[in-house]
Amino acid sequence: MPAQPTQQSRPAGPVAPPMPARPEESPIRVENFAGGSFVSGDESAAEFVSRVVQVVSWADRTRHGQGGSGEPPPREPEQPKGKKGGLLDDLARNTRSTTFDLLAAGNRVWGRKEQERYEKAHAEWTVAYQEWERRNGSGTRQPNPLVLLVGEPHTGQRRLWRSVRDALGAAEVSFEDFVTVGAAEVLGDDDSAGDALRRFVSRCTDPAMILVEDVEPLLEKDLTGVVRALRDYAHDQSSCRLLVLAGTERAVERLRTEAPDLLSSVLQYRMPRFTRPAHAAALLDVVAAERSFVLPPDVRDRLAQLANLSAGARGVEALLDAAGREAVASGPSADGRIHLAPQHLAPLVAAAQQRGGRPIEELLAELDGMIGLDSVKQRVRALVAEAQIDARRRDAGLPVATRSRHLVLTGNPGTAKTTVARLVGKIYQALGMLPKGHVVEVARPDLVGEYVGETSKKTRAVCERASGGVLFIDEAYSLALDKDDDYGREAVAELLLQMENHRDDLIVFAAGYPKEMDGFLETNPGLRSRFASKIEFPDYTADELAGIYRVLAKGQGYDLADDLLAQLPEAMRQIPRGRGFANGRSARGVLETTIGKQSARLAAQPDAPASALSTLVAADLPDRGESGVAVTDDAGPRRGLDDLLAELDGMIGLDAVKERVRALVAGARMDARRRKAGLPVGASSRHLVFTGNPGTAKTTVARLMGRLYRELGLLSSGHLVEVARPDLVGEYLGQTSPKTREVCERALGGVLFIDEAYNLVQVYGSGGADYGDEAVAELLVQMENHRDDLIVIAAGYPADMDRFLDVNAGLRSRFGGTVEFADYTDEQLAAIFTAMTTQRGYRLAPELAAALPAVMAGLDRGSGFANGRSARGLLEQAIAAQALRLAGPDVDLESVDDAELTLLTPADLPPHG
């Protein structure tokens, strides 16, 4: 088994425990130990083992009188080994030989000299030892450090623990007992995890080297008690035990929260992540060499990808062994070794696709079953096809292009972005691209801190929690709304780092409004390259919202009556599509209001049958103005196309306008028919320019066109929002774009009518324009973003509108045509006057009716002329004159005949009429 690292050890002496390092991607290293190989994490395992040996050896010396500073004590001189007298003295006495006498005398002289040298050396040693004791007193004895191995279970903790054990043995640091135990076994039935840990440690023969695996249950049970016990062990100068803990990042976070000072003194090592294909591939090479398997690179890489679904190092080894069994079953090789080939992985690939309990076909069927979202479904299926082809190329030994799987999801609220993200996570898990496939949903508050240094930690912790699955960031653009937002930029920078560090086991989905997300991607050069793909989520149509309503109602146990089903699409069309519109959530709001009204209705019917409790009827639908339903900007009740065209034909004059509108309607109907027949339909802009003088019914026709387009299915609600320059242009820098955007969002689903649109761009004497340019630019953006559910009609004088279309290169191409509104003739103005008179409950005297064309001919058609509005002004003057005539100070109003009250005569016209 792995033992002492072969790399050179550091010099002896105390080493400060390392602080937890910022996770950064480092090259994959396979390091050789005495008994085998080890796949290192971000830090060198050999260097970590060397550091542990250095610190433990130093602490061991301090406890055994070998110097608290690591300085060994001076060596005590040895006493002379010669005995007094000895053999030569005996021979001299017994033989009386002069020779032996001389030798014995010389020996005695040598012995005296040796004794003198020893006494002198001992005296010097005594002084040196006293000085050493002064420098290295008993108070410097050091406890053994705590060791923490951080990583998911079964990622090599035991192998590294054995390496430390063997390395300490080679450094002559001995232990009486070696124990590995799980936290659950330590805890048993004890309620106090701290006491349970103390009892278990006390039962081990001291000195013991103890590995406690999966330490989280101890911390969850009794964090305070366990921390208290660990503090005692960290300061125990008398025991020689070495306590090694193994846990995940969650354990580190718990200790950091409860005891940051204790954690800072712990020797930490972060294990490799074998859900990363690179680490898994390195481990496969190591294990294959140990088993004498022949493992080609293409087979190894495919196994490494499958390891995303495995349980740590054990799972990786199990995959290799399973492939080995398949290879053995296929027959012996010529050289007697086990050669792994792509065909031996087929059962493993099939099992991976079933991992998580649902096959890929079932997940795609669930996607297809979602209401609407046709373009989204098509895009997701394309991503799935890419992944499947990549897997086939990999199995065939062909090169596979590196792809970014991170996505930008754009669309308005309630368009099922989160639901699709969860489904895509499961699909990627089934394809073997993610080990877990779970989704972690966050927003700005989950990533951005409140003080310096907190943001990176929060963002990093969120990414760790999402590792193996999908990180879904809602309204991601809020991280970079302000260029001076340092905390938001810090979160983005940390996010990019973690996306790189976890590129094999983390997919990030950033969601938000289309324009805002485009701006977000420009805030950091690394964002757009990381998010290579975009999925656009369109708003739901009224019919799709009705379908969502039905599904939600069924899910809550309600039946829908036939009358409610008949009115449901119209109720969905009445949902205002402004800033508060939330698609599916708006449909849920209508359902909740419906249920509330049903409850109020049934409360007044105590004898209603039980079946009524689960039945919603049309009377329960919210009325206009109630929750979820528009009270303003509404196009009114639905009317047939023929009825609306008849209203158009009934308008006075406007022959050219009527012809143009009918042509637009015919074109829209033809497009719909071609589309139904599967024929190509050319893209066309439905935005229009209305030119003409005031009072030529431009607003009336625009409102009618909204209703016509609603019946044709081109607009969801068909309402009209009428605005002018003050509604779009702000008074200070930065106010204009939000104002314009808010107006466009209020008009979604209908027609935005901009009267006197040329006033948006006003050039002053200095030649500079004002904020109107900003309004025009924002208007163009909104016209593009909402091209399928917003029609803009810009109205004004012909010459001014022509100049307006030239102020921005994009304007003329956005507006698909011009409808010219001619001034009314005298006869048409007379007809308008007559129609208005009837609408207001008045009659015209025959002589007045005959004189009206001449009266209209006398109107001043100068700059103040307003066509129909001029006719209305003339009628109002006539009504005021009639009132003065019949109710003046000299008239008895009570004596006036009732018929006179409704009669207008030539006398009621202005003097110069």
Side-chain angles (χ1 to χ4, degrees):
M1 298 304 295
Q4 174 69 22
T6 59
Q7 298 185 12
Q8 184 177 358
S9 298
R10 295 182 180 180
V15 177
M19 293 295 290
R22 182 187 187 91
E24 293 182 356
E25 195 71 9
S26 59
I28 306 301
R29 287 176 289 193
V30 178
E31 298 182 287
N32 294 321
F33 289 76
S37 301
F38 192 90
V39 179
S40 293
D42 292 338
E43 178 189 358
S44 166
E47 291 181 4
F48 174 75
V49 171
S50 176
R51 187 163 62 253
V52 173
V53 170
Q54 182 180 344
V55 176
V56 173
S57 298
W58 164 68
D60 190 69
R61 289 195 301 270
T62 67
R63 292 191 301 272
H64 293 88
Q66 294 178 316
S69 65
E71 173 193 357
R75 185 183 296 275
E76 183 178 1
E78 296 183 1
Q79 292 188 6
K81 297 182 179 178
K83 297 181 180 178
K84 293 182 179 180
L87 179 61
L88 288 176
D89 284 341
D90 291 342
L91 289 173
R93 269 194 314 270
N94 294 326
T95 63
R96 298 186 181 276
S97 168
T98 302
T99 301
F100 284 121
D101 283 340
L102 292 173
L103 290 173
N107 185 55
R108 286 193 295 274
V109 172
W110 177 83
R112 283 194 298 271
K113 290 182 178 179
E114 284 295 304
Q115 182 64 27
E116 290 173 357
R117 281 195 293 267
Y118 165 72
E119 290 176 353
K120 181 180 179 181
H122 193 274
E124 293 174 350
W125 171 81
T126 300
V127 174
Y129 189 82
Q130 290 174 349
E131 178 64 22
W132 178 86
E133 280 192 325
R134 186 184 63 78
R135 294 194 307 269
N136 299 276
S138 60
T140 62
R141 291 187 301 171
Q142 296 294 319
N144 275 342
L146 298 176
V147 179
L148 179 59
L149 307 181
V150 184
E152 295 298 319
H154 313 305
T155 50
Q157 290 89 340
R158 286 197 182 188
R159 176 176 285 218
L160 187 58
W161 178 77
R162 289 192 293 266
S163 299
V164 172
R165 178 197 67 189
D166 296 343
L168 287 171
E172 298 183 354
V173 178
S174 59
F175 295 92
E176 293 295 328
D177 200 2
F178 299 94
V179 181
T180 60
V181 65
E185 183 180 347
V186 172
L187 186 59
D189 297 328
D190 205 319
D191 290 333
S192 173
D195 292 342
L197 180 61
R198 292 177 190 272
R199 279 192 291 272
F200 180 85
V201 171
S202 66
R203 290 197 298 268
C204 299
T205 303
D206 197 45
M209 182 174 173
I210 305 168
L211 172 64
V212 181
E213 297 181 296
D214 304 329
V215 75
E216 277 85 354
L218 287 174
L219 301 178
E220 292 173 0
K221 185 76 171 180
D222 180 16
L223 178 59
T224 302
V226 172
V227 167
R228 190 179 298 115
L230 293 178
R231 285 188 191 280
D232 291 343
Y233 294 142
H235 294 88
D236 187 354
Q237 299 174 341
S238 59
S239 173
C240 293
R241 80 176 68 84
L242 179 61
L243 186 59
V244 181
L245 307 176
T248 67
E249 290 287 352
R250 292 186 296 276
V252 176
E253 288 302 320
R254 284 180 173 273
L255 291 174
R256 181 176 291 120
T257 302
E258 182 71 14
D261 58 320
L262 174 65
L263 185 64
S264 67
S265 67
V266 173
L267 294 178
Q268 298 181 48
Y269 182 79
R270 279 173 168 75
M271 308 302 298
R273 299 172 61 88
F274 291 112
T275 53
R276 296 182 183 176
H279 281 114
L283 180 61
L284 285 165
D285 283 335
V286 169
V287 179
E290 292 175 350
R291 286 162 170 70
S292 297
F293 288 177
V294 178
L295 183 62
D298 59 330
V299 179
R300 178 202 60 199
D301 292 343
R302 185 61 174 132
L303 278 172
Q305 186 186 38
L306 294 174
N308 277 347
L309 301 177
S310 302
R314 292 184 184 179
V316 174
E317 294 185 21
L319 281 173
L320 183 64
D321 290 339
R325 287 192 293 271
E326 288 292 323
V328 170
S330 65
S333 61
D335 59 3
R337 301 178 66 189
I338 299 175
H339 291 254
L340 301 184
Q343 62 267 25
H344 301 140
L345 308 185
L348 299 176
V349 173
Q353 290 181 342
Q354 294 291 336
R355 201 74 56 94
R358 300 180 65 189
I360 185 68
E361 293 78 11
E362 181 180 331
L363 294 169
L364 291 175
E366 180 180 340
L367 174 70
D368 291 338
M370 296 180 68
I371 295 173
L373 306 177
D374 291 339
S375 60
V376 174
K377 296 172 185 176
Q378 183 178 359
R379 187 73 183 89
V380 172
R381 280 193 169 273
L383 293 173
V384 172
E386 288 178 2
Q388 291 174 329
I389 293 300
D390 284 352
R392 289 177 59 187
R393 288 180 60 86
R394 194 177 292 108
D395 290 342
L398 298 174
V400 177
T402 301
R403 303 178 189 273
S404 171
R405 303 292 181 188
H406 308 297
L407 293 172
V408 171
L409 310 183
T410 63
N412 290 318
T415 47
K417 294 187 293 293
T418 307
T419 303
V420 171
R422 294 194 190 104
L423 196 54
V424 171
K426 295 176 183 177
I427 290 173
Y428 280 175
Q429 181 194 22
L431 290 170
M433 298 166 60
L434 288 174
K436 299 176 183 177
H438 66 296
V439 175
V440 175
E441 302 173 37
V442 297
R444 178 186 167 93
D446 303 299
L447 301 173
V448 176
E450 298 178 355
Y451 53 84
V452 175
E454 185 188 19
T455 295
S456 291
K457 293 179 181 179
K458 290 184 72 173
T459 303
R460 185 161 58 248
V462 164
C463 291
E464 288 290 342
R465 188 153 48 92
S467 178
V470 173
L471 175 62
F472 181 90
I473 308 176
D474 197 17
E475 296 182 346
Y477 55 84
S478 64
L479 294 174
L481 285 176
D482 188 347
K483 65 179 180 180
D484 296 325
D485 181 10
D486 293 337
Y487 292 162
R489 291 206 307 271
E490 182 183 353
V492 171
E494 182 65 32
L495 177 65
L496 290 172
L497 175 64
Q498 296 302 320
M499 289 168 68
E500 180 64 21
N501 288 350
H502 298 280
R503 58 181 176 270
D504 296 324
D505 65 345
L506 175 65
I507 293 178
V508 179
F509 291 168
Y513 295 108
K515 180 192 174 185
E516 285 80 353
M517 289 306 298
D518 280 340
F520 169 69
L521 294 179
E522 297 298 332
T523 60
N524 188 300
L527 280 172
R528 195 170 290 279
S529 63
R530 296 300 194 289
F531 292 95
S533 299
K534 179 190 295 185
I535 299 181
E536 298 181 2
F537 285 69
D539 286 342
Y540 289 110
T541 66
D543 290 337
E544 290 168 348
L545 289 175
I548 293 173
Y549 182 103
R550 291 192 297 268
V551 171
L552 293 173
K554 182 178 179 180
Q556 297 188 40
Y558 287 96
D559 296 322
L560 303 182
D562 291 341
D563 60 344
L564 183 146
L565 289 173
Q567 296 186 27
L568 189 57
E570 177 60 28
M572 295 297 110
R573 290 185 183 92
Q574 292 179 8
I575 298 176
R577 298 208 170 209
R579 179 169 287 274
F581 178 62
N583 285 282
R585 292 199 286 273
S586 292
R588 182 185 296 114
V590 173
L591 174 62
E592 291 171 354
T593 304
T594 305
I595 294 172
K597 290 190 67 176
Q598 182 229 33
S599 299
R601 174 173 59 82
L602 294 178
Q605 302 175 14
D607 298 330
S611 60
L613 298 174
S614 60
T615 303
L616 301 176
V617 300
D620 300 326
L621 287 171
D623 296 324
R624 189 172 303 166
E626 293 183 325
S627 177
V629 178
V631 65
T632 60
D633 295 339
D634 186 75
R638 297 301 292 263
R639 297 164 58 190
L641 197 61
D642 292 339
D643 187 18
L644 292 170
L645 290 174
E647 179 182 340
L648 175 69
D649 291 338
M651 297 179 69
I652 297 170
L654 306 177
D655 293 339
V657 173
K658 296 173 184 175
E659 182 179 354
R660 185 79 170 88
V661 171
R662 280 191 170 275
L664 292 171
V665 170
R669 295 181 67 184
M670 181 58 71
D671 286 349
R673 183 67 182 86
R674 287 178 59 86
R675 195 176 290 110
K676 183 178 179 180
L679 298 173
V681 177
S684 59
S685 172
R686 303 200 183 277
H687 307 296
L688 294 170
V689 173
F690 281 6
T691 62
N693 291 319
T696 48
K698 294 187 293 294
T699 306
T700 303
V701 172
R703 182 174 291 107
L704 187 58
M705 287 193 66
R707 295 170 181 171
L708 285 167
Y709 279 165
R710 179 177 68 173
E711 296 306 315
L712 291 167
L714 299 175
L715 292 175
S716 55
S717 63
H719 65 284
L720 182 81
V721 174
E722 185 178 358
V723 296
R725 174 188 163 88
D727 303 298
L728 302 173
V729 178
E731 298 178 357
Y732 51 83
L733 184 65
Q735 187 185 28
T736 295
S737 288
K739 286 188 72 172
T740 304
R741 184 161 55 249
E742 189 277 331
V743 165
C744 291
E745 288 172 349
R746 186 155 50 91
L748 285 180
V751 174
L752 175 61
F753 183 85
I754 308 175
D755 198 17
E756 297 182 342
Y758 50 84
N759 281 332
L760 288 177
V761 181
Q762 297 178 351
V763 178
Y764 299 96
S766 62
D770 67 348
Y771 298 140
D773 281 335
E774 184 181 350
V776 172
E778 182 65 30
L779 178 65
L780 289 173
V781 170
Q782 296 303 318
M783 291 167 69
E784 178 63 23
N785 288 350
H786 304 290
R787 57 184 176 271
D788 295 327
D789 204 26
L790 174 66
I791 290 179
V792 176
I793 297 178
Y797 295 110
D800 293 326
M801 289 305 299
D802 195 54
R803 286 192 295 270
F804 169 69
L805 294 178
D806 289 330
V807 300
N808 187 300
L811 276 174
R812 198 172 291 277
S813 63
R814 291 299 194 286
F815 288 94
T818 299
V819 180
E820 298 179 1
F821 286 71
D823 286 345
Y824 290 111
T825 65
D826 296 336
E827 291 74 13
Q828 291 168 345
L829 287 175
I832 291 172
F833 185 99
T834 303
M836 289 179 177
T837 301
T838 303
Q839 289 172 359
R840 300 184 63 165
Y842 289 89
R843 297 175 297 117
L844 297 179
E847 56 273 24
L848 176 57
L852 269 179
V855 171
M856 296 302 169
L859 292 176
D860 181 6
R861 297 207 174 212
S863 59
F865 179 65
N867 284 283
R869 288 203 286 275
S870 293
R872 181 187 297 114
L874 185 63
L875 173 61
E876 290 172 353
Q877 293 181 56
I879 292 173
Q882 184 232 34
L884 185 62
R885 175 170 58 82
L886 297 180
D890 299 330
V891 180
D892 181 9
L893 184 59
E894 295 300 325
S895 63
V896 175
D897 186 76
D898 290 347
E900 290 292 316
L901 299 176
T902 61
L903 184 65
L904 297 178
T905 68
D908 299 323
L909 291 177
H912 300 289

